[in-house]
Amino acid sequence: MNSFLLQVVTMSAPLLLLAMAGYASERSGVINIGLEGKMLTACFVCAAFAPQFGAIGGVVMAILAGIVISMLHWTLTQVYRIDHIVSGMAINLLASGGTGFLEASGFAKNTLTEAQRLPLWFYYAVALLAPFLLFWAANHTRFGLQHKSVGSDPSKARLLGINPQRIRLLALTLTGVFSGLAGSLLVSETSTFTKDMTAGRGYIALAALILGGWRPIPAALSCLLFGLATAVQIQLSGKPMFGMQIPSEIWKMLPYIVTLLALAGLLGRNRTPAGLGKH
Amino acid sequence: MKAKIPILFAVSIAIIVLSLVLVKANIVQPIATIFTGSLGDARRISGTIKEMTPLLILGSAVYLALKAGLFNIGAEGQYTVGACFGSLSMIAIGGGIGVAVGCFVGIITGALWALPAGLIKAYRNGHEVITTIMLNAIALLMTKALVAGPFKGPDQFTPSTSMMPVQSRLVPLFTIGNLEIPQSFVVGIVIVLLLAYWLKRNVSGFELKATGANPTAAKFAGVNTKQVTVKAMLMSGGLSGLAGALQVAQFEHRFYDGFATGYGFDALGVALLSGSNPAYLILSSFFFGAMNKGGTALVILGVDKGITTVVLSIVIVMFAAIRYRKKEDIRE
Amino acid sequence: MSFAVSMQNISKRFGMVQALDNVSFEVQAGTIHALVGENGAGKTTLIRALYGAMMPDDGSILIGGKTVKFRNSADAIGHRIGMVSQHYGIIGELTNLENLVLGSEGSAILNKVAMQARATELATSMGFEFDWDAESSTLGPAGGQKLEILKLLWRDSQIMILDEPTAMLSPQDSEALFVSLKQLAEKGATVIVVTHRVAEVFQHCKRVTVLRGGIKIADHNVDDVTPNQLAEEIVGGAVMERPQPVSSSKSSVRLKIDQLSVRGEKGDMAVRNLNLEVKMGQLVGIAGVDGNGQRELFHALIGVTRPISGTFSFDGSQWDSESSRTRITEGLRIIPEDRHEEGIIEDWSLLDSAALGLQRLPAFKNLSKGTKKQAPSMAEMFDTKFGRLSDEIASLSGGNQQRFVAGRALSLDAQLILAFQPARGLDLNSTTKVYNEIRRVCQAGACAIVVSFDLDELLDFCDRIVVMAHGELYEPQTEVARDRAAIGRLMVGAG
């Protein structure tokens, strides 16, 4: 049972951190389908730098990498006004191709030793606190309020003297920090970088964010739910249930099906921020 | 704005050169290899055509949706279900009829797979990108479960259907020496031409373009934009499904787990690069095909083909910066 | 005597238009001061200058006797000037409390308890009640307007500008709003109300300033002037002889609107139980100030909005249950209000643009042949200046785009023409041409409804004028059917 709980935490914590990265960006009105690429880059950078810079150095570099890519997304969408989808897609391609290329060329090959990884409890503690912190910030700080207003209606916010681009710059910095943490956690769990190791987590985190109605605590709970489904699937693999062999794919599909139902409005109202993708 | 395009261009070249310097590789040789590996001789050109064929049809599918103002990221999932159910029909029925039925099944299943995204977009205002991403993941998992379980070919060790009988596979339309022109490639060209004609001459195509370009003006012009949205997703999904079924009949002769390797995202790139003229779909899918084929040749040199993905993504961003910059949003 | 606000000799020019010409405007502290005038009189430009949202070309502004120079609204807010703009400024996804404090939160970390206490205190002082944690999307127009007032108080504004604050309110809610404003004025606030409703001026305001065509016409103590006199000053005094309209009393009814009600975008009742019959050959002008339901009426007739009740039919065909496409097939033609959003697709060629909205008509059965045949004649009708037919329509000047859009609406078998400000962006000569062509089409058997905010334009060209105010339609008495002053009084609710 203990190992089962651990499995749930292992599966959901990286998702949760990444979902918080998505929250920071999307609630400010910047569509972020590039989470996958941001996390993958962070995984790579952490694996590449931790051997020389140590555990903390690796995480710091991963966070910096997350911020740099998020700034690229900000520049493309807010300065060049490129469609947010195209920018996010390009970031995913760039990250997948770029890290694959560098890895094949001999970077980030080492398996991280104990000393080169931050202890997992550190990440889990952050993942536990982050949703509450973000929830508190959204409701009790000036930045949180302005962040929300920009995601709802950038032009009305502008009339009240708020600069939407500046708020989104800060929001995407936060996205960078959380993607950096999510990436280094994943590498710490596996100890090595492998090509495309994020394996769609960016999209599942996005799904959790949507399922949670773009609110930090429900999004975090959705991540736990998805983690639980994965852990159950691992536990059950090969074992029959109700006298039937249920393919593991059915379990894996659950997050996506539930999210689709949520988007179809079958699970309560649609809470999409009204200013998503607007300037 | 115009001054910034060359800067982007310079940056992308700099990135490539820098990456190659970083891995201490020869700079000239990999670039030359991309060219010779994709266009060096008739056999390699045939390989490039094989690479570009699915992208040509998928690119048309994504292009059609884009004209209606929709990002069909779901082409990959629609392609997958089209290939899966298309192959199952082809194997079950066999012969020329099997191929025909399989293509039909591919169109129908692809369209059905796109339908939820169209409905949710039109009537629930749920973003089609998110729904199609979800549908992609479901398609990959579902087809995997099918070919790992009930439809696994008895002679296969990995999740896969059995092979189509040799006599019912599509053969190249014609061959000149080592140059092969596959039938599905010709179908792709015909689709592009039909699409171009339909968008330009047909009143439904006209209304679809109006909906994509300015939905408000389209409503004032008497267009039922919700219906157009659903219809565009259905057509786009049908074309993607057909691409999958044809890929099975012409090249792969079976469906297996991992059938659609990033084609969906490449298809969006192909459609974006084509800009305003559907005829450019042929050029841009050729470009993508050549990069993919050339990228494979790079592996022999010990350079990962990821570098070509990097180049493609930068090219897409550059084109997006030029073409898709929203005009009305330029205010103080 | 020192004024709370004193604007001296303000001038502002936009391109060819002199929006303000040497206007001086003074407001005493502790009063409600009305600023009245027709659309385009320069009211909005004047208050935008006071709010720092626009720099005047000439003139000076004194606040509390001291000369100020505003570069942006933040400067004006710094001088305790607040504005409630005509456009709704409440964000529905935020709570009432969040909307109240947004942009003026005080500290980086919000003290919600203190905020709510002050908010409640402010609300109580005005006799308002708010559920602070409720989302603002649940507020109606009246609740929203109250919250806007509290936003001014939250920012400690001493000079409050309200632009058409009662436009969306019911008479009762308007009354309540002015009670609140009076309270504020009694406590020393300076309130400037931009309005077109003469009744409001007389019931609630102390002084009134009249603008017309960018020039200040008059300043009055409200007690020294009569409603008729004020209405005349607003719309201009002289009553000119007009050409006699074509009488169509004997022809048959084509468009029949019965008890139509339509909701506005903020959920208010924009059109209320409206009845109207338009006869064959008739050109009906709807006079009225912007925002009185004209837009919503058109949208319902076109089919982009669904009415909440009532019916309308054209030649017996029940249009309220038909698609827009059918209405167009049966002869509906539109010259829309917002050309860019509703009438054209900017990067389309003139050829493609020619078919937009008419694409299902027989003339475009063959699209490319149809557009090649129709586009030149549509452009020719009002002398649209263009390079080639394959050029983007965005490459044309605004006036030429409007000529093309008007030509398109009148080219192919129009039966009912709906024109919203058809003269927008046109010179006098082209305006005459467009109206004459609409008349010509009507005389051939069609009919038309034109909305314009320029009463003179309607008097010049329409057979019949009705007035839309507060979502309802008023028909002037027969003996004053062409009387500028009488119609003007109906428009501003002083009839």
mmCIF file of all heavy atoms in Angstrom, chain C residues 109-148:
data_model
loop_
_atom_site.group_PDB
_atom_site.id
_atom_site.type_symbol
_atom_site.label_atom_id
_atom_site.label_comp_id
_atom_site.label_asym_id
_atom_site.label_seq_id
_atom_site.Cartn_x
_atom_site.Cartn_y
_atom_site.Cartn_z
ATOM 1 N N ILE C 109 0.171 43.258 -1.102
ATOM 2 C CA ILE C 109 -0.639 42.193 -0.509
ATOM 3 C C ILE C 109 -1.970 42.809 -0.078
ATOM 4 O O ILE C 109 -2.004 43.841 0.578
ATOM 5 C CB ILE C 109 0.084 41.542 0.694
ATOM 6 C CG1 ILE C 109 1.304 40.784 0.151
ATOM 7 C CG2 ILE C 109 -0.855 40.616 1.457
ATOM 8 C CD1 ILE C 109 2.141 40.127 1.191
ATOM 9 N N LEU C 110 -3.039 42.175 -0.526
ATOM 10 C CA LEU C 110 -4.349 42.769 -0.307
ATOM 11 C C LEU C 110 -4.860 42.424 1.080
ATOM 12 O O LEU C 110 -4.812 41.259 1.491
ATOM 13 C CB LEU C 110 -5.335 42.237 -1.354
ATOM 14 C CG LEU C 110 -4.886 42.263 -2.802
ATOM 15 C CD1 LEU C 110 -5.984 41.687 -3.694
ATOM 16 C CD2 LEU C 110 -4.544 43.675 -3.253
ATOM 17 N N ASN C 111 -5.307 43.428 1.775
ATOM 18 C CA ASN C 111 -5.958 43.198 3.051
ATOM 19 C C ASN C 111 -7.456 43.137 2.806
ATOM 20 O O ASN C 111 -8.149 44.145 2.810
ATOM 21 C CB ASN C 111 -5.594 44.312 4.018
ATOM 22 C CG ASN C 111 -6.190 44.082 5.391
ATOM 23 O OD1 ASN C 111 -7.090 43.248 5.553
ATOM 24 N ND2 ASN C 111 -5.698 44.797 6.367
ATOM 25 N N LYS C 112 -7.938 41.927 2.588
ATOM 26 C CA LYS C 112 -9.324 41.787 2.147
ATOM 27 C C LYS C 112 -10.319 42.263 3.189
ATOM 28 O O LYS C 112 -11.369 42.805 2.838
ATOM 29 C CB LYS C 112 -9.608 40.325 1.793
ATOM 30 C CG LYS C 112 -9.006 39.951 0.455
ATOM 31 C CD LYS C 112 -10.009 39.200 -0.390
ATOM 32 C CE LYS C 112 -9.545 39.207 -1.839
ATOM 33 N NZ LYS C 112 -10.291 38.295 -2.676
ATOM 34 N N VAL C 113 -9.973 42.034 4.447
ATOM 35 C CA VAL C 113 -10.915 42.420 5.508
ATOM 36 C C VAL C 113 -11.093 43.934 5.493
ATOM 37 O O VAL C 113 -12.207 44.453 5.455
ATOM 38 C CB VAL C 113 -10.406 41.943 6.880
ATOM 39 C CG1 VAL C 113 -11.350 42.404 7.970
ATOM 40 C CG2 VAL C 113 -10.274 40.425 6.873
ATOM 41 N N ALA C 114 -9.957 44.632 5.435
ATOM 42 C CA ALA C 114 -10.026 46.089 5.438
ATOM 43 C C ALA C 114 -10.701 46.600 4.175
ATOM 44 O O ALA C 114 -11.503 47.531 4.199
ATOM 45 C CB ALA C 114 -8.627 46.668 5.556
ATOM 46 N N MET C 115 -10.381 45.941 3.059
ATOM 47 C CA MET C 115 -10.970 46.346 1.783
ATOM 48 C C MET C 115 -12.481 46.226 1.832
ATOM 49 O O MET C 115 -13.203 47.120 1.433
ATOM 50 C CB MET C 115 -10.455 45.452 0.667
ATOM 51 C CG MET C 115 -9.144 45.875 0.100
ATOM 52 S SD MET C 115 -8.725 44.729 -1.200
ATOM 53 C CE MET C 115 -7.320 45.565 -1.862
ATOM 54 N N GLN C 116 -12.909 45.072 2.319
ATOM 55 C CA GLN C 116 -14.340 44.825 2.331
ATOM 56 C C GLN C 116 -15.039 45.791 3.277
ATOM 57 O O GLN C 116 -16.132 46.273 2.997
ATOM 58 C CB GLN C 116 -14.607 43.373 2.743
ATOM 59 C CG GLN C 116 -16.046 42.988 2.546
ATOM 60 C CD GLN C 116 -16.183 41.494 2.308
ATOM 61 O OE1 GLN C 116 -15.239 40.836 1.840
ATOM 62 N NE2 GLN C 116 -17.335 40.946 2.620
ATOM 63 N N ALA C 117 -14.367 46.097 4.385
ATOM 64 C CA ALA C 117 -14.955 47.036 5.340
ATOM 65 C C ALA C 117 -15.137 48.395 4.676
ATOM 66 O O ALA C 117 -16.202 49.000 4.746
ATOM 67 C CB ALA C 117 -14.059 47.152 6.570
ATOM 68 N N ARG C 118 -14.095 48.857 3.980
ATOM 69 C CA ARG C 118 -14.197 50.168 3.344
ATOM 70 C C ARG C 118 -15.228 50.134 2.209
ATOM 71 O O ARG C 118 -15.994 51.067 2.019
ATOM 72 C CB ARG C 118 -12.822 50.600 2.808
ATOM 73 C CG ARG C 118 -12.887 52.024 2.307
ATOM 74 C CD ARG C 118 -11.566 52.633 1.891
ATOM 75 N NE ARG C 118 -11.864 53.808 1.057
ATOM 76 C CZ ARG C 118 -11.213 54.112 -0.046
ATOM 77 N NH1 ARG C 118 -10.200 53.371 -0.436
ATOM 78 N NH2 ARG C 118 -11.568 55.167 -0.738
ATOM 79 N N ALA C 119 -15.235 49.007 1.469
ATOM 80 C CA ALA C 119 -16.195 48.879 0.375
ATOM 81 C C ALA C 119 -17.625 48.949 0.895
ATOM 82 O O ALA C 119 -18.464 49.664 0.350
ATOM 83 C CB ALA C 119 -15.957 47.563 -0.370
ATOM 84 N N THR C 120 -17.862 48.225 1.985
ATOM 85 C CA THR C 120 -19.214 48.217 2.561
ATOM 86 C C THR C 120 -19.579 49.613 3.050
ATOM 87 O O THR C 120 -20.697 50.094 2.882
ATOM 88 C CB THR C 120 -19.286 47.207 3.721
ATOM 89 O OG1 THR C 120 -18.765 45.972 3.255
ATOM 90 C CG2 THR C 120 -20.712 47.006 4.184
ATOM 91 N N GLU C 121 -18.580 50.270 3.661
ATOM 92 C CA GLU C 121 -18.816 51.620 4.164
ATOM 93 C C GLU C 121 -19.206 52.552 3.020
ATOM 94 O O GLU C 121 -20.184 53.302 3.101
ATOM 95 C CB GLU C 121 -17.529 52.102 4.837
ATOM 96 C CG GLU C 121 -17.668 53.367 5.637
ATOM 97 C CD GLU C 121 -16.286 53.862 6.074
ATOM 98 O OE1 GLU C 121 -15.454 53.006 6.481
ATOM 99 O OE2 GLU C 121 -16.024 55.052 5.980
ATOM 100 N N LEU C 122 -18.440 52.476 1.927
ATOM 101 C CA LEU C 122 -18.748 53.318 0.770
ATOM 102 C C LEU C 122 -20.139 52.997 0.229
ATOM 103 O O LEU C 122 -20.920 53.894 -0.081
ATOM 104 C CB LEU C 122 -17.716 53.095 -0.348
ATOM 105 C CG LEU C 122 -16.312 53.646 -0.108
ATOM 106 C CD1 LEU C 122 -15.412 53.291 -1.279
ATOM 107 C CD2 LEU C 122 -16.366 55.152 0.078
ATOM 108 N N ALA C 123 -20.414 51.692 0.133
ATOM 109 C CA ALA C 123 -21.700 51.281 -0.426
ATOM 110 C C ALA C 123 -22.842 51.773 0.465
ATOM 111 O O ALA C 123 -23.834 52.309 -0.019
ATOM 112 C CB ALA C 123 -21.747 49.767 -0.567
ATOM 113 N N THR C 124 -22.662 51.614 1.770
ATOM 114 C CA THR C 124 -23.717 52.025 2.697
ATOM 115 C C THR C 124 -23.948 53.531 2.602
ATOM 116 O O THR C 124 -25.082 54.004 2.613
ATOM 117 C CB THR C 124 -23.334 51.649 4.141
ATOM 118 O OG1 THR C 124 -22.842 50.317 4.134
ATOM 119 C CG2 THR C 124 -24.533 51.735 5.050
ATOM 120 N N SER C 125 -22.866 54.270 2.473
ATOM 121 C CA SER C 125 -23.011 55.727 2.385
ATOM 122 C C SER C 125 -23.848 56.123 1.175
ATOM 123 O O SER C 125 -24.465 57.181 1.151
ATOM 124 C CB SER C 125 -21.636 56.388 2.317
ATOM 125 O OG SER C 125 -21.081 56.226 1.025
ATOM 126 N N MET C 126 -23.857 55.279 0.167
ATOM 127 C CA MET C 126 -24.644 55.573 -1.029
ATOM 128 C C MET C 126 -25.993 54.848 -1.013
ATOM 129 O O MET C 126 -26.768 54.951 -1.964
ATOM 130 C CB MET C 126 -23.897 55.134 -2.288
ATOM 131 C CG MET C 126 -22.553 55.801 -2.532
ATOM 132 S SD MET C 126 -22.684 57.583 -2.632
ATOM 133 C CE MET C 126 -23.772 57.759 -4.027
ATOM 134 N N GLY C 127 -26.196 54.069 0.033
ATOM 135 C CA GLY C 127 -27.429 53.299 0.064
ATOM 136 C C GLY C 127 -27.423 52.102 -0.878
ATOM 137 O O GLY C 127 -28.459 51.589 -1.268
ATOM 138 N N PHE C 128 -26.228 51.626 -1.244
ATOM 139 C CA PHE C 128 -26.122 50.444 -2.122
ATOM 140 C C PHE C 128 -25.884 49.216 -1.262
ATOM 141 O O PHE C 128 -25.442 49.317 -0.127
ATOM 142 C CB PHE C 128 -24.951 50.553 -3.099
ATOM 143 C CG PHE C 128 -25.016 51.718 -4.037
ATOM 144 C CD1 PHE C 128 -23.869 52.156 -4.688
ATOM 145 C CD2 PHE C 128 -26.207 52.374 -4.292
ATOM 146 C CE1 PHE C 128 -23.909 53.226 -5.554
ATOM 147 C CE2 PHE C 128 -26.264 53.442 -5.157
ATOM 148 C CZ PHE C 128 -25.102 53.873 -5.792
ATOM 149 N N GLU C 129 -26.121 48.067 -1.876
ATOM 150 C CA GLU C 129 -25.795 46.837 -1.196
ATOM 151 C C GLU C 129 -25.152 45.897 -2.201
ATOM 152 O O GLU C 129 -25.654 45.741 -3.313
ATOM 153 C CB GLU C 129 -27.069 46.195 -0.637
ATOM 154 C CG GLU C 129 -26.866 45.626 0.747
ATOM 155 C CD GLU C 129 -28.182 45.122 1.313
ATOM 156 O OE1 GLU C 129 -29.138 45.928 1.387
ATOM 157 O OE2 GLU C 129 -28.236 43.933 1.622
ATOM 158 N N PHE C 130 -24.028 45.316 -1.835
ATOM 159 C CA PHE C 130 -23.343 44.403 -2.754
ATOM 160 C C PHE C 130 -22.951 43.131 -2.039
ATOM 161 O O PHE C 130 -22.566 43.171 -0.870
ATOM 162 C CB PHE C 130 -22.070 45.059 -3.309
ATOM 163 C CG PHE C 130 -22.315 45.931 -4.498
ATOM 164 C CD1 PHE C 130 -22.431 47.302 -4.356
ATOM 165 C CD2 PHE C 130 -22.441 45.375 -5.755
ATOM 166 C CE1 PHE C 130 -22.660 48.108 -5.459
ATOM 167 C CE2 PHE C 130 -22.669 46.172 -6.861
ATOM 168 C CZ PHE C 130 -22.776 47.539 -6.710
ATOM 169 N N ASP C 131 -23.046 42.017 -2.746
ATOM 170 C CA ASP C 131 -22.433 40.781 -2.273
ATOM 171 C C ASP C 131 -21.018 40.799 -2.824
ATOM 172 O O ASP C 131 -20.791 40.542 -3.999
ATOM 173 C CB ASP C 131 -23.213 39.578 -2.815
ATOM 174 C CG ASP C 131 -22.555 38.265 -2.422
ATOM 175 O OD1 ASP C 131 -21.482 38.317 -1.777
ATOM 176 O OD2 ASP C 131 -23.105 37.220 -2.756
ATOM 177 N N TRP C 132 -20.057 41.132 -1.963
ATOM 178 C CA TRP C 132 -18.706 41.418 -2.467
ATOM 179 C C TRP C 132 -18.026 40.214 -3.077
ATOM 180 O O TRP C 132 -17.144 40.356 -3.919
ATOM 181 C CB TRP C 132 -17.845 42.013 -1.357
ATOM 182 C CG TRP C 132 -18.327 43.366 -0.970
ATOM 183 C CD1 TRP C 132 -18.851 43.748 0.234
ATOM 184 C CD2 TRP C 132 -18.381 44.526 -1.816
ATOM 185 N NE1 TRP C 132 -19.228 45.072 0.188
ATOM 186 C CE2 TRP C 132 -18.946 45.577 -1.049
ATOM 187 C CE3 TRP C 132 -18.008 44.788 -3.133
ATOM 188 C CZ2 TRP C 132 -19.143 46.849 -1.564
ATOM 189 C CZ3 TRP C 132 -18.203 46.059 -3.652
ATOM 190 C CH2 TRP C 132 -18.771 47.079 -2.871
ATOM 191 N N ASP C 133 -18.382 39.006 -2.647
ATOM 192 C CA ASP C 133 -17.700 37.822 -3.161
ATOM 193 C C ASP C 133 -18.377 37.244 -4.403
ATOM 194 O O ASP C 133 -17.900 36.271 -4.973
ATOM 195 C CB ASP C 133 -17.631 36.742 -2.079
ATOM 196 C CG ASP C 133 -16.784 37.211 -0.908
ATOM 197 O OD1 ASP C 133 -15.809 37.958 -1.172
ATOM 198 O OD2 ASP C 133 -17.088 36.864 0.236
ATOM 199 N N ALA C 134 -19.491 37.855 -4.822
ATOM 200 C CA ALA C 134 -20.182 37.326 -6.008
ATOM 201 C C ALA C 134 -19.464 37.787 -7.274
ATOM 202 O O ALA C 134 -18.845 38.858 -7.304
ATOM 203 C CB ALA C 134 -21.620 37.819 -6.022
ATOM 204 N N GLU C 135 -19.538 36.974 -8.291
ATOM 205 C CA GLU C 135 -18.933 37.368 -9.565
ATOM 206 C C GLU C 135 -19.743 38.496 -10.192
ATOM 207 O O GLU C 135 -20.966 38.480 -10.167
ATOM 208 C CB GLU C 135 -18.892 36.167 -10.521
ATOM 209 C CG GLU C 135 -17.636 35.356 -10.374
ATOM 210 C CD GLU C 135 -17.454 34.360 -11.512
ATOM 211 O OE1 GLU C 135 -18.050 34.557 -12.584
ATOM 212 O OE2 GLU C 135 -16.716 33.390 -11.302
ATOM 213 N N SER C 136 -19.028 39.434 -10.809
ATOM 214 C CA SER C 136 -19.714 40.608 -11.347
ATOM 215 C C SER C 136 -20.558 40.284 -12.572
ATOM 216 O O SER C 136 -21.372 41.100 -12.997
ATOM 217 C CB SER C 136 -18.701 41.684 -11.691
ATOM 218 O OG SER C 136 -18.060 42.116 -10.535
ATOM 219 N N SER C 137 -20.349 39.098 -13.158
ATOM 220 C CA SER C 137 -21.168 38.728 -14.313
ATOM 221 C C SER C 137 -22.640 38.635 -13.933
ATOM 222 O O SER C 137 -23.511 38.681 -14.787
ATOM 223 C CB SER C 137 -20.688 37.393 -14.887
ATOM 224 O OG SER C 137 -20.715 36.409 -13.892
ATOM 225 N N THR C 138 -22.905 38.519 -12.619
ATOM 226 C CA THR C 138 -24.296 38.410 -12.195
ATOM 227 C C THR C 138 -24.974 39.778 -12.028
ATOM 228 O O THR C 138 -26.167 39.848 -11.798
ATOM 229 C CB THR C 138 -24.397 37.654 -10.852
ATOM 230 O OG1 THR C 138 -23.599 38.367 -9.894
ATOM 231 C CG2 THR C 138 -23.881 36.245 -10.952
ATOM 232 N N LEU C 139 -24.167 40.846 -12.129
ATOM 233 C CA LEU C 139 -24.754 42.183 -11.999
ATOM 234 C C LEU C 139 -25.518 42.546 -13.262
ATOM 235 O O LEU C 139 -25.069 42.306 -14.367
ATOM 236 C CB LEU C 139 -23.648 43.230 -11.810
ATOM 237 C CG LEU C 139 -22.860 43.236 -10.505
ATOM 238 C CD1 LEU C 139 -21.774 44.291 -10.588
ATOM 239 C CD2 LEU C 139 -23.772 43.512 -9.341
ATOM 240 N N GLY C 140 -26.661 43.168 -13.106
ATOM 241 C CA GLY C 140 -27.348 43.725 -14.273
ATOM 242 C C GLY C 140 -26.739 45.068 -14.608
ATOM 243 O O GLY C 140 -25.777 45.500 -13.970
ATOM 244 N N PRO C 141 -27.297 45.758 -15.629
ATOM 245 C CA PRO C 141 -26.762 47.069 -15.998
ATOM 246 C C PRO C 141 -26.825 48.060 -14.836
ATOM 247 O O PRO C 141 -25.884 48.836 -14.635
ATOM 248 C CB PRO C 141 -27.678 47.531 -17.133
ATOM 249 C CG PRO C 141 -28.460 46.357 -17.549
ATOM 250 C CD PRO C 141 -28.389 45.322 -16.488
ATOM 251 N N ALA C 142 -27.888 48.018 -14.039
ATOM 252 C CA ALA C 142 -28.021 48.972 -12.949
ATOM 253 C C ALA C 142 -26.967 48.703 -11.878
ATOM 254 O O ALA C 142 -26.297 49.628 -11.397
ATOM 255 C CB ALA C 142 -29.420 48.889 -12.349
ATOM 256 N N GLY C 143 -26.793 47.421 -11.521
ATOM 257 C CA GLY C 143 -25.790 47.057 -10.539
ATOM 258 C C GLY C 143 -24.397 47.438 -11.012
ATOM 259 O O GLY C 143 -23.564 47.920 -10.247
ATOM 260 N N GLY C 144 -24.144 47.217 -12.290
ATOM 261 C CA GLY C 144 -22.848 47.571 -12.872
ATOM 262 C C GLY C 144 -22.583 49.061 -12.762
ATOM 263 O O GLY C 144 -21.482 49.483 -12.401
ATOM 264 N N GLN C 145 -23.607 49.858 -13.016
ATOM 265 C CA GLN C 145 -23.430 51.311 -12.963
ATOM 266 C C GLN C 145 -23.157 51.761 -11.520
ATOM 267 O O GLN C 145 -22.326 52.639 -11.289
ATOM 268 C CB GLN C 145 -24.698 51.977 -13.523
ATOM 269 C CG GLN C 145 -24.526 53.407 -13.951
ATOM 270 C CD GLN C 145 -23.502 53.579 -15.044
ATOM 271 O OE1 GLN C 145 -22.322 53.781 -14.782
ATOM 272 N NE2 GLN C 145 -23.921 53.479 -16.289
ATOM 273 N N LYS C 146 -23.821 51.107 -10.583
ATOM 274 C CA LYS C 146 -23.574 51.436 -9.175
ATOM 275 C C LYS C 146 -22.130 51.110 -8.794
ATOM 276 O O LYS C 146 -21.471 51.880 -8.093
ATOM 277 C CB LYS C 146 -24.531 50.661 -8.267
ATOM 278 C CG LYS C 146 -25.942 51.221 -8.266
ATOM 279 C CD LYS C 146 -26.862 50.357 -7.430
ATOM 280 C CE LYS C 146 -28.300 50.832 -7.590
ATOM 281 N NZ LYS C 146 -29.269 49.849 -7.084
ATOM 282 N N LEU C 147 -21.672 49.946 -9.287
ATOM 283 C CA LEU C 147 -20.301 49.553 -8.975
ATOM 284 C C LEU C 147 -19.320 50.553 -9.589
ATOM 285 O O LEU C 147 -18.300 50.897 -8.983
ATOM 286 C CB LEU C 147 -20.049 48.130 -9.480
ATOM 287 C CG LEU C 147 -18.755 47.464 -9.012
ATOM 288 C CD1 LEU C 147 -18.650 47.462 -7.499
ATOM 289 C CD2 LEU C 147 -18.671 46.037 -9.541
ATOM 290 N N GLU C 148 -19.631 51.027 -10.779
ATOM 291 C CA GLU C 148 -18.766 52.033 -11.426
ATOM 292 C C GLU C 148 -18.665 53.296 -10.563
ATOM 293 O O GLU C 148 -17.597 53.895 -10.436
ATOM 294 C CB GLU C 148 -19.333 52.411 -12.802
ATOM 295 C CG GLU C 148 -19.294 51.298 -13.839
ATOM 296 C CD GLU C 148 -18.006 51.248 -14.625
ATOM 297 O OE1 GLU C 148 -16.967 51.681 -14.094
ATOM 298 O OE2 GLU C 148 -18.032 50.765 -15.779
#
